[in-house]
Amino acid sequence: MNNNKMVVVSLGGSLIVPDVIDWKFVKNFKKIIETEIARGCRFIIVTGGGKTARKYIEASGKIDSIDAEDKDWIGIHATRMNAHFMRTVFKKHAHPIINTNPFDLESFLTAKEPILVAAGYRPGNSTDYISVLLAKHFEVKKVVNLSNIDYVCDKDPKKFKDAKKIKEMSWQEFQKIVGDKWDPGLNAPFDPVASKVAAKEGIEVTILNGKKLSNFRKYLDGEKFAGTIIK
Ligand code: UTP
């Protein structure tokens, strides 16, 4: 990739904090991003909450009955913690202000840096949703979602041995699998509400296993990669 293209990356928190912070992953991810930046690419990186979010949410529920909105707020702050972490390790290239409101883009729109970091906004959605909104505002037609799955399958591969990998599918087909409502406990490859917006705006989302960073590099370089394209 050697043009001034903006790439929107929804970076699953499960990659940054699968259990403890995976600094080796972040170090390797940084190398790839910096190589692409040197070739003229810009990135919006939206960080998820990962285990940090889940651990705090679970712990709060053990102490008292915490409502869904407050659990989401804890999750949001975990995404923001991860965003500050990414912005710090990318300090040389990253815009200093983390976006936490996808409807207020003033600082992003005037930013000159090649990396813009964003995090969670309000209860009831996810950082996938933020990624799609930012892609829409920046008129970027592709979002790459890095998580810990290789492909979207026609059914849950953990439960069904005969689950089939899907390499390319329409938003309609994807919505048949994940539904179209937000559910805080849902472990969908891409948030159903974000999917609705992506479908409406004609945004293509590619689901990749971010752990396999050479595969991510292939995606960025326009080479053949493993993953699911939803459009
Ligand atoms: P995400 O679900 O976006 O992070 O946010 P994640 O850890 O990357 O998810 P995986 O790894 O893809 O599964 C974590 C939690 O923060 C709250 C939600 O509760 C969400 O489950 N959140 C996040 C919001 O309520 N609003 C936001 O805008 C973002």
Side-chain angles (χ1 to χ4, degrees):
M1 193 173 276
N2 54 7
N3 53 17
N4 262 319
K5 224 164 144 186
M6 176 74 98
V7 180
V8 178
V9 184
S10 179
L11 179 60
S14 56
L15 295 171
I16 309 169
V17 193
D19 186 38
V20 293
I21 304 166
D22 190 351
W23 62 267
K24 283 186 186 157
F25 163 79
V26 176
K27 193 173 177 186
N28 293 326
F29 175 76
K30 183 170 182 266
K31 276 188 207 149
I32 292 191
I33 299 291
E34 285 178 341
T35 306
E36 299 296 337
I37 286 174
R39 295 175 181 168
C41 207
R42 293 186 84 203
F43 288 88
I44 295 179
I45 299 174
V46 189
T47 52
K51 265 285 165 66
T52 311
R54 250 151 252 153
K55 281 182 182 171
Y56 274 105
I57 289 171
E58 266 170 43
S60 66
K62 284 179 186 162
I63 299 168
D64 209 335
S65 54
I66 311 291
D67 64 33
E69 189 175 321
D70 282 330
K71 285 184 179 172
D72 277 349
W73 274 117
I74 297 178
I76 289 167
H77 285 286
T79 71
R80 293 179 181 178
M81 178 69 225
N82 283 337
H84 280 277
F85 175 50
M86 296 307 283
R87 128 89 181 127
T88 303
V89 299
F90 277 108
K91 195 163 182 177
K92 250 203 286 179
H93 303 289
H95 185 55
I97 300 169
I98 311 271
N99 182 280
T100 55
N101 179 350
F103 300 100
D104 176 5
L105 294 173
E106 209 185 318
S107 104
F108 264 24
L109 289 169
T110 53
K112 298 275 180 289
E113 296 84 355
I115 297 180
L116 306 175
V117 183
Y121 170 50
R122 289 282 182 272
N125 43 63
S126 72
T127 47
D128 291 342
Y129 178 64
I130 307 293
S131 312
V132 170
L133 289 182
L134 292 174
K136 180 184 163 195
H137 289 301
F138 279 85
E139 296 179 356
V140 175
K141 287 291 173 197
K142 287 183 183 181
V143 170
V144 57
N145 180 71
L146 301 182
S147 68
N148 53 9
I149 62 163
D150 292 321
Y151 288 94
V152 174
C153 293
D154 59 349
K155 39 193 166 183
D156 187 347
K158 284 186 200 129
K159 290 187 198 147
F160 302 94
K161 272 198 174 147
D162 62 339
K164 284 191 199 71
K165 295 175 188 168
I166 304 170
K167 291 195 176 162
E168 205 172 305
M169 68 200 298
S170 67
W171 280 116
Q172 255 184 336
E173 288 165 324
F174 184 73
Q175 280 159 351
K176 262 189 221 152
I177 299 176
V178 299
D180 63 357
K181 283 191 198 70
W182 168 254
D183 167 5
L186 191 75
N187 203 6
F190 203 71
D191 161 11
V193 179
S195 303
K196 256 205 230 174
V197 181
K200 183 166 169 270
E201 299 298 329
I203 294 171
E204 179 182 302
V205 173
T206 301
I207 312 271
L208 290 187
N209 189 335
K211 265 197 161 316
K212 300 175 182 168
L213 277 166
S214 59
N215 192 44
F216 176 46
R217 189 197 49 72
K218 284 183 190 160
Y219 166 84
L220 292 172
D221 291 344
E223 293 170 22
K224 209 169 164 223
F225 63 90
T228 303
I229 300 172
I230 316 169
K231 57 184 180 186

